[in-house]
Amino acid sequence: MLLLQVGRGSEFRSAAKKMGYNDSESTNTVKGDDTKSEDKPPARITIPENSTLSFEDFVQVYQEELTQGKFWGIAHDLHRLNEPLPNIGLFNARYDRIYLAEPFNHRQY
């Protein structure tokens, strides 16, 4: 049995919007409530009843993830669906060096 958690993450939010969810409909404020919005949990995303996600929109959701550099999320989803990507070894390239102009004191942070 395959159990997937839905309701969070950029993939879900993007798919929900393509299926008709309007994030302006959900507000965390109640009239007369002076609690800051960051103190409240985000509103739950509800997908409109009888909505569908077209194949083109499905592909676009994953293309957006790749464009944002979130390849690990796609690799995870494929793995969970028993379609793992081939193991091509560890990433062993190197990044550009980063130089620090003055000594960094990690204790002050």
Side-chain angles (χ1 to χ4, degrees):
M1 181 197 300
L2 178 65
L3 296 174
L4 297 176
Q5 181 181 6
V6 297
R8 25 182 326 229
S10 58
E11 291 168 72
F12 181 77
R13 288 188 299 274
S14 179
K17 287 179 184 177
K18 292 181 186 311
M19 295 172 73
Y21 169 72
N22 185 352
D23 58 2
S24 65
E25 294 172 359
S26 64
T27 58
N28 291 337
T29 58
V30 177
K31 222 174 195 178
D33 186 4
D34 59 354
T35 308
K36 295 180 183 177
S37 62
E38 60 264 9
D39 294 339
K40 298 179 184 180
R44 185 172 179 90
I45 294 175
T46 54
I47 297 173
E49 196 171 324
N50 298 324
S51 60
T52 59
L53 183 66
S54 71
F55 179 75
E56 291 80 15
D57 286 340
F58 173 81
V59 170
Q60 189 175 12
V61 166
Y62 278 97
Q63 184 62 49
E64 290 168 3
E65 291 293 299
L66 287 172
T67 302
Q68 295 171 17
K70 299 178 182 177
F71 53 88
W72 62 87
I74 296 169
H76 174 266
D77 291 351
L78 289 171
H79 182 76
R80 289 292 305 258
L81 295 169
N82 291 323
E83 296 289 339
L85 295 173
N87 183 355
I88 59 172
L90 296 175
F91 176 77
N92 60 7
R94 64 181 179 167
Y95 293 101
D96 292 338
R97 291 190 173 130
I98 299 174
Y99 294 96
L100 185 60
E102 57 189 57
F104 178 74
N105 182 356
H106 70 280
R107 292 190 177 124
Q108 74 187 114
Y109 293 101

